[in-house]
Every structure is written in C-alpha cells, then in structure tokens.
Amino acid sequence: MSPAPTTAWTPDDEKGRPLWEALGFCAGGPPRGAITLVGAGGKTTLAHSLASTAADAGARVLIVTTTKMAREPGLICDPDEVVEALKAGGVVVAGAESAPGKFGAFAPEVLDRLRAAADLVVVEGDGSRRLPFKVPADYEPVVPEWTDLLVIVAGLSSLGRPLSEICCRAEVAAGLLTGPDAAGLPHGDTPDTTGVLDRCLDPRTAAFLLRAGYLDNPALASWADRRVVVLNQADDPGRRMLASVLAGALPGERVLFTTTIAESRNQR
C-alpha cells in the first residue's frame, strides 16, 4: 500500500499543496539529489511519502539511515542487491544489518556507491524513539555532507504534554531550559530539572529548543540556507493554531505545516 500523500502549507498561505511542491525541491521534474530528515514526530512517514511521490514521478529512490531505524518490510542489506533493485525503479529501503528489529547505516564508501545508482536519496539522520519531539545530543544528528536539503521535523502532538513523555533526549532539553538562555520562558524560571520535565511543552519553549538543538547547531551551519522546519501532525484546528504560534517564534526561518490526513485543507 502506498503511503498517504502529505499535504503542506505555509504560515501565510493556507492553500494545501503536495509536500514536494511546498518544499520547492527540484521543481519541474522528478526530484533528484538528497534530502535528510532530522528531529522527531513523523520522519519515517514523511520519508516514505516523499519517496513514494518521487517514484511515481519516475525517480529511482533510495531510503537509508545514518543512525538506526525500525526494520521495514522489503529491507535490502546486500549492496549489490540494492543496486539491482534501483535499476528496476521505484523505492528501495536499504541498510546494514543491526540489532534485532533494527537496521543501521552503511559504511560511507558503500553509501556513495548506492547513491550513485539512485536519482533521489532520502535519509533519516536522527533517531527519536518514536517520540514526537527531540533535542539532540552533541553527537547528533548525523547529516551527510552531500545533503541538498535539511528538513527539521517536530510533531505538533508534543505540545501541551509533559517533556518527560514526549521529548527524546529530555535530559538535554532540561539542561537547556535551566540555563541562562532560557530566561523568560515558561519553563525557564526554575533550576529544578525534575520540575522542568514535568511541565507541558508550549510553542515558545518548543521554538527555543528547536533553535538550540538544530537551527543554531554549529554542526548544521552548512545548511543554514538549505533547510526548512516542518511542523508535522497539523491535523486539526487546535494544532494548526499552536503551529502558527510556534512558527511566529521562529522569525526568519522557512516553516511548513504538514498533515498526512486525507482530508483536504481546503475542505475544512
């Protein structure tokens, strides 16, 4: 079964468009190049939606990871088989054998060979333990230098819920929120880490954490003009309102709202 199509729109234009169109990535033909998704809150769903749409347009698409992903049906671990599968077209999910139920990253030289056989490479560059929000550790995310577009994902289902329940690397988030840069935030008025983790994530705090973890991350500076923040799971009016507040707290950033619900944005 093909993934549900992803609809996207911007804070200043509520007209829903296909995600590839909203990204403006390789407009005018099948997408080519490499896109890496980091963060949390629907990366795998978005990766498959992007890959499926690109394949429908005639692209040979490779889905890989630089960390670890849940093992998927049809996974190919032999590089020679991956190359042959790509020749047939469509979407190929590939990775190195890893722990039970997981697959991991190929060695860089192997991945270079495989991406040469694909038109489009979609990379998951971050793990999130299936949680809707993430603040990365200092060794994360892992973004290949040949990435053309960096997509930073945050799940709107995280808002209004305790950090301890929704945030991957919650201890990193707590450290940031008890530091001096967090002064004035709803979470930033206490040195008590436990108290911070028990508080619910609000849009301003989410924006602060996205900026601290990804947008101002020195390791990601190369993509400062080749990135987009995707606020995913904008599935109802309440979440859309919160998404607008969050986007407003990220001035100067390119932001998209997305949903994979079949209902059209123009029919709500």
Side-chain angles (χ1 to χ4, degrees):
M1 179 181 297
S2 298
T6 298
T7 300
W9 62 101
T10 63
D12 56 357
D13 184 356
E14 293 193 356
K15 181 179 180 181
R17 294 174 287 166
L19 180 54
W20 276 121
E21 180 183 335
L23 289 172
F25 188 76
C26 297
R32 295 178 181 272
I35 182 169
T36 297
L37 296 96
V38 300
K43 293 191 309 297
T44 299
T45 298
L46 290 171
H48 278 279
S49 180
L50 288 167
S52 177
T53 304
D56 288 345
R60 298 168 299 171
V61 185
L62 176 65
I63 296 179
V64 293
T65 183
T66 55
T67 56
K68 286 185 173 62
M69 288 177 61
R71 196 175 185 92
E72 299 193 9
L75 173 71
I76 303 177
C77 297
D78 182 279
D80 291 333
E81 293 181 13
V82 175
V83 172
E84 289 303 309
L86 286 168
K87 290 178 181 178
V91 178
V92 177
V93 182
E97 293 283 359
S98 185
K102 299 279 188 178
F103 71 96
F106 284 119
E109 62 273 15
V110 174
L111 187 52
D112 284 344
R113 176 191 170 203
L114 299 183
R115 69 188 184 91
D119 298 315
L120 174 71
V121 183
V122 180
V123 183
E124 279 208 36
D126 223 354
S128 58
R129 301 175 187 169
R130 298 185 181 276
L131 293 169
F133 195 84
K134 179 170 183 177
V135 180
D138 57 8
Y139 54 85
E140 301 171 310
V142 182
V143 180
E145 61 181 10
W146 35 262
T147 295
D148 297 304
L149 179 66
L150 180 65
V151 176
I152 301 160
V153 183
L156 293 168
S157 64
S158 62
L159 297 176
R161 298 167 59 193
L163 274 169
S164 59
E165 294 180 5
I166 56 83
C167 186
C168 182
R169 309 284 187 230
E171 71 284 356
V172 180
L176 291 168
L177 292 172
T178 54
D181 291 340
L185 289 174
H187 286 60
D189 58 358
T190 174
D192 179 13
T193 298
T194 302
V196 169
L197 293 178
D198 288 340
R199 295 190 181 188
C200 295
L201 184 66
D202 65 277
R204 285 180 57 217
T205 301
F208 169 81
L209 292 173
L210 286 172
R211 189 163 292 285
Y214 294 100
L215 301 173
D216 291 342
N217 188 332
L220 303 179
S222 297
W223 291 277
D225 59 351
R226 294 179 290 149
R227 70 188 184 199
V228 59
V229 176
V230 169
L231 303 180
N232 193 34
Q233 304 168 339
D235 303 335
D236 59 56
R239 288 188 184 175
R240 291 166 191 155
M241 180 181 66
L242 292 172
S244 295
V245 176
L246 203 169
L250 293 172
E253 293 298 326
R254 188 175 170 214
V255 179
L256 291 177
F257 306 148
T258 55
T259 180
T260 53
I261 288 181
E263 177 189 7
S264 168
R265 282 281 299 151
N266 297 321
Q267 295 176 351
R268 67 182 177 90

